[in-house]
Amino acid sequence: MSYIAPIDETKFWLNEVLDAKRLFSISNFNGFKEEDLNLILGEAAKITSESIYPLNQKSDKIPANLENGICRTTPGFKDAYELLVQGGWTGISGSQKYGGMGLPSTVTSCFNEYFGSACLSFSLLFLMSQGQIDALENHASEHIKNIFLPKLNSGEWTGTMNLTEPQAGSDVGALTTKAEKNNDGSYSITGQKIYISWGEHDLSSNICHLVLARLPDSPKGSKGVSLFIVPKFIQNEEDEWLLENNVKAISLEKKMGMHGSPTAVIEYRQSQGWLVGEENAGLHAMFTMMNNARLGVGVEGLSQCELATQKALEFAKTRKQGYAKIDNGKGVILDHPDVRRMLITMKSLTVAVRALCLDAALSLDLSKSNDKQVATRENVRASFLIPIAKAFSTDIGCRVADIGIQVHGGMGYVEETGAAQVLRDVRVTAIYEGTNGIQAIDLIGRKLSDSGKAANCLIDEIKKTVSECYDNADQQIKDMGKRLSRSLECLEISLAWMLKQKDINERLAGATPFLKAFGMILGANYLVKAAIKAGSPDRTSLAQFYCLNILPEMEAYGAMSKGGKDSLYDFSDKFFGFS
C-alpha cells in the first residue's frame, strides 16, 4: 500500500477548529503566514510519502547492525537523511539565530506525524535532535550554543538523550555515572547508559549526547544530578572534530519493534563533556528536552494511528468475504457492521488524538507570547495537556494498531501486510520518555498541585462546547451536548475526589484511569466542536459515533479513578508468591 499524508485533515483542525492563526501574532514567528504553513505541509507530505515511506518495511526486515564498533543503518536511510538535510528539516524548530528554520512546535508536530507514519524508526532520530536543540537553546552557555547548535540544526551532527542506567531505570536520581571537573573547565564523564535511541549510527559525522551524571560532592538523589553535552568526537590539534572521545556503543538492543532505530548501550570512559546549565540542576535542563520529547512521542502514537487506519481501510475496501445484508453494498468486508464499527473506531480515535496533540503544541507556541497574561495561561495549559497527550495518544496508538490487525483477520498476523509491524513499533511509545504510568502520576501530582485550577480551565472549555450544542438547531448535536455534559459531571466528581485525598497513594491508585478519563472527554470535546464548526454530515456522524461508542468508557474510567488504594493492597504476600 501507499501512505498519504493527511494534509486536508491537518489544515481543517488548525484552521477551522483550533484557530492556529493566533500563531501569526507571536513575535517568535514573525513573518510566518498561512501560505507558508500550506507550503511546508505540502513539502513534508511529498517527501515523507514518496521518499521515506518505502523504507518502512525495509527498516523492519533489515535492522541496524553493530559490527566492530561500527553501526550500519538500514539501506536507504543514508540517502533519505541527506535529502532531509538538504531540505532543512533537521533544524525545523531550531532558532534562526543558530541556523534553524525557527518554525512553531505546531508545525513541527505536523511534520513529525507525517514522518512517523512514513517510518517511525527513522523519524526518532530527528525527534531526539529536536529535543536536544531545544534544551541547548534554553540552558546552554552562549559558547556551547555557538559550537553545537549550527551543526545540529544543519544535520551535520545529531543529538541523543542519556538518562537511563541499568540499576536506575526511571529513578534518575539513582544514577551512578560520574563527572569530574578538568582544569580547562570541561568535565570527564565515566559510566554506562542504556536504551539510547540512535546512540550510534552512520548518518552524521558526529553524535552529541546529553548525559546526566553526578559530580563528586553533589547531594544524593535527583538534586545532585548535572547535565553535560558529550560528543562522540572532539577537536584534534587542528581544531577538526575528528578525535575519538572514548564514547563507545558496546551493543544494540534486540527489540520487539522499531528495528530500524539503533538503541544502544553507551559506555563513557573519561569522555570529555561540557556542563549544560548549572551544576546539580541537570534535571531542570533535561526536562526541557523531556517535555519536548513527550509531546513528540504523543505525536508518534498519533502517527501510528493514522498508518494503521490507512492500512485497514485499504484492506477493507478491497477484501471480499461473506455477504452483508445492506442496501448498496460494495461486496467487501467494509459492508459488515462489525468491520465498519472497528474502522470508524480507528478513525474517530485517530482524529481525537490528532486534535489533542495539535492543541497541546499550539498552547506551547502561544506560551511564547509577549502578552504575559496569555503566555502564563497557555504555559499552564500546555503543561497540563502534555502528559495527557503523551500517554493517551500512545495508548490509543497501541489500541488502534491492534484493531488494525483484527480488521485484516489472518492476514494481519502475517508480516507481509505490515499491520503487525505497526503494533510492534508503536508499543514502545507507551514506555518512551517516562512510562504512561509516570505521566499519570505527574498529572495527579504536580499538575493538580494548583488545587485543580488548570484542570477546571479545561473543564470550562468543555462546558462552553456543551452550551454551543444546546444552542444548535441540529438535534443530533443537541443530544451530543447532553452526553458530553453527563460525562463532564463524572469527570468533575473524579477531580473533586482526587483533590480531597490526603493520602497520596489514594490518588496514585487511580492515576492512570483518571488520565484516560480526561483524554476520552477531551477527544469528545474536539470531535463535537468539529461537528459544530464544519456543519458536514460526516463530521457530525463521526462525533455522534464517538459519543455513543467511546465516550461511555470515560465514565467507567472516572469510576475506576476513585477505587482507592485498598483495592490494590488488600492482598496477602502469598497472593504474590512471597513465602
Side-chain angles (χ1 to χ4, degrees):
M1 65 158 279
S2 60
Y3 161 70
I4 301 173
I7 297 180
D8 289 342
E9 189 71 10
T10 302
K11 289 180 180 178
F12 170 77
W13 283 101
L14 291 178
N15 299 328
E16 303 300 325
V17 183
L18 298 176
D19 193 21
K21 66 177 179 290
R22 290 178 291 167
L23 285 174
F24 307 146
S25 65
I26 306 298
S27 60
N28 291 49
F29 314 121
N30 188 33
F32 182 68
K33 303 297 181 185
E34 186 173 345
E35 51 266 34
D36 300 319
L37 173 64
N38 293 337
L39 178 63
I40 291 163
L41 291 179
E43 287 299 313
K46 181 178 180 181
I47 196 169
T48 53
S49 299
E50 296 178 3
S51 301
I52 307 301
Y53 181 69
L55 300 171
N56 194 36
Q57 281 192 275
K58 182 185 288 188
S59 73
D60 189 52
K61 295 174 181 176
I62 311 174
N65 184 41
L66 185 66
E67 289 184 359
N68 300 319
I70 299 173
C71 179
R72 307 292 185 192
T73 53
T74 300
F77 273 13
K78 187 176 283 290
D79 289 341
Y81 185 74
E82 289 302 319
L83 188 64
L84 290 162
V85 164
Q86 290 169 15
W89 298 106
T90 47
I92 183 171
S93 51
S95 169
Q96 292 179 338
K97 179 180 179 181
Y98 304 102
M101 293 174 68
L103 296 177
S105 294
T106 306
V107 179
T108 301
S109 294
C110 297
F111 170 68
N112 287 347
E113 181 202 333
Y114 300 170
F115 197 178
S117 293
C119 186
L120 190 60
S121 291
F122 191 21
S123 71
L124 186 57
L125 171 62
F126 284 65
L127 184 63
M128 291 294 97
S129 289
Q130 288 167 14
Q132 185 171 114
I133 289 167
D134 195 28
L136 293 179
E137 282 185 2
N138 283 281
H139 299 286
S141 67
E142 198 62 32
H143 178 65
I144 294 296
K145 290 179 185 179
N146 287 327
I147 292 172
F148 288 89
L149 286 175
K151 292 181 180 297
L152 288 165
N153 279 312
S154 72
E156 184 180 347
W157 295 355
T158 57
T160 75
M161 176 166 50
N162 285 226
L163 288 79
T164 312
E165 297 181 8
Q167 80 292 340
S170 296
D171 183 7
V172 177
L175 63 82
T176 59
T177 297
K178 298 177 182 178
E180 297 177 330
K181 194 166 186 177
N182 300 320
N183 292 332
D184 63 359
S186 66
Y187 294 78
S188 292
I189 311 299
T190 300
Q192 188 180 102
K193 299 288 185 176
I194 62 173
Y195 303 151
I196 311 306
S197 298
W198 284 92
E200 181 59 51
H201 60 84
D202 57 355
L203 302 184
S204 64
S205 65
N206 205 354
I207 304 170
C208 305
H209 304 283
L210 276 181
V211 183
L212 288 177
R214 191 181 303 280
L215 291 161
D217 299 322
S218 293
K220 293 181 179 179
S222 60
K223 293 182 179 179
V225 174
S226 301
L227 182 64
F228 304 88
I229 187 159
V230 187
K232 178 182 177 181
F233 296 105
I234 55 177
Q235 288 175 300
N236 58 21
E237 293 180 354
E238 288 76 36
D239 292 334
E240 300 168 314
W241 292 83
L242 298 173
L243 186 64
E244 291 191 359
N245 193 24
N246 297 323
V247 178
K248 299 292 183 184
I250 58 178
S251 67
L252 298 183
E253 305 291 356
K254 305 296 183 184
K255 299 174 296 185
M256 171 182 172
M258 297 280 277
H259 295 157
S261 168
T263 303
V265 177
I266 304 287
E267 186 174 71
Y268 299 90
R269 292 186 179 181
Q270 295 289 302
S271 306
Q272 189 176 22
W274 292 267
L275 183 69
V276 175
E278 301 294 327
E279 290 186 356
N280 302 323
L283 283 186
H284 175 65
M286 182 59 88
F287 268 113
T288 299
M289 185 174 187
M290 287 287 286
N291 219 30
N292 181 300
R294 283 174 175 173
L295 176 58
V297 172
V299 173
E300 287 185 330
L302 160 63
S303 75
Q304 298 311 285
C305 285
E306 178 64 32
L307 181 59
T309 301
Q310 287 196 23
K311 282 181 175 292
L313 275 169
E314 182 171 318
F315 184 82
K317 288 189 294 185
T318 57
R319 173 66 171 166
K320 295 182 178 181
Q321 186 76 40
Y323 176 73
K325 296 180 180 179
I326 60 170
D327 294 333
N328 302 315
K330 306 293 184 184
V332 293
I333 63 171
L334 181 58
D335 293 341
H336 296 291
D338 193 57
V339 174
R340 186 161 286 219
R341 175 191 60 80
M342 289 190 285
L343 288 166
I344 300 172
T345 297
M346 296 173 76
K347 190 78 170 178
S348 62
L349 288 170
T350 300
V351 169
V353 297
R354 177 175 292 112
L356 173 59
C357 290
L358 290 178
D359 194 17
L362 188 57
S363 275
L364 205 58
D365 287 326
L366 294 173
S367 70
K368 298 172 183 175
S369 172
N370 291 331
D371 184 326
K372 291 185 178 179
Q373 188 175 1
V374 171
T376 300
R377 182 185 70 237
E378 295 295 339
N379 182 60
V380 170
R381 190 174 186 275
S383 295
F384 194 89
L385 284 174
I386 282 174
I388 303 175
K390 190 278 174 183
F392 186 70
S393 300
T394 55
D395 277 343
I396 295 302
C398 295
R399 176 175 173 176
V400 169
D402 182 60
I403 297 172
I405 291 175
Q406 194 70 16
V407 171
H408 282 81
M411 287 302 295
Y413 203 66
V414 175
E415 293 291 352
E416 178 185 337
T417 62
Q421 181 191 347
V422 182
L423 181 57
R424 287 188 287 101
D425 283 354
V426 75
R427 185 60 186 83
V428 74
T429 63
I431 300 169
Y432 274 160
E433 311 310 335
T435 65
N436 286 357
I438 289 174
Q439 306 304 316
I441 291 168
D442 178 43
L443 185 67
I444 61 93
R446 278 179 291 186
K447 302 304 161 58
L448 292 185
S449 63
D450 62 352
S451 301
K453 289 181 182 178
N456 278 307
C457 284
L458 285 169
I459 286 172
D460 287 343
E461 291 181 24
I462 300 171
K463 286 180 178 178
K464 183 179 178 182
T465 304
V466 170
S467 295
E468 290 176 359
C469 288
Y470 290 158
D471 293 339
N472 198 283
D474 189 321
Q475 188 59 46
Q476 280 185 312
I477 291 178
K478 287 182 185 290
D479 290 342
M480 283 187 259
K482 292 177 184 177
R483 296 187 182 95
L484 193 56
S485 178
R486 185 177 63 200
S487 295
L488 190 57
E489 289 177 14
C490 175
L491 180 66
E492 288 184 288
I493 292 169
S494 297
L495 174 61
W497 184 90
M498 283 283 174
L499 294 173
K500 187 173 67 175
Q501 302 312 305
K502 305 294 184 185
D503 184 344
I504 187 61
N505 283 330
E506 297 286 1
R507 283 194 191 188
L508 291 172
T512 290
F514 180 76
L515 185 149
K516 289 183 177 181
F518 228 119
M520 285 287 179
I521 198 167
L522 285 171
N525 185 54
Y526 293 127
L527 266 72
V528 172
K529 284 174 67 175
I532 295 170
K533 293 281 188 181
S536 73
D538 283 344
R539 291 284 177 189
T540 301
S541 294
L542 194 65
Q544 183 183 43
F545 176 90
Y546 190 102
C547 288
L548 286 171
N549 295 276
I550 296 171
L551 186 57
E553 296 177 27
M554 179 264 147
E555 296 177 33
Y557 284 126
M560 291 163 61
S561 71
K562 306 190 298 290
K565 67 179 182 180
D566 288 348
S567 65
L568 303 180
Y569 289 96
D570 193 17
F571 293 89
S572 66
D573 286 347
K574 185 177 179 181
F575 178 85
F576 294 103
F578 292 106
S579 57

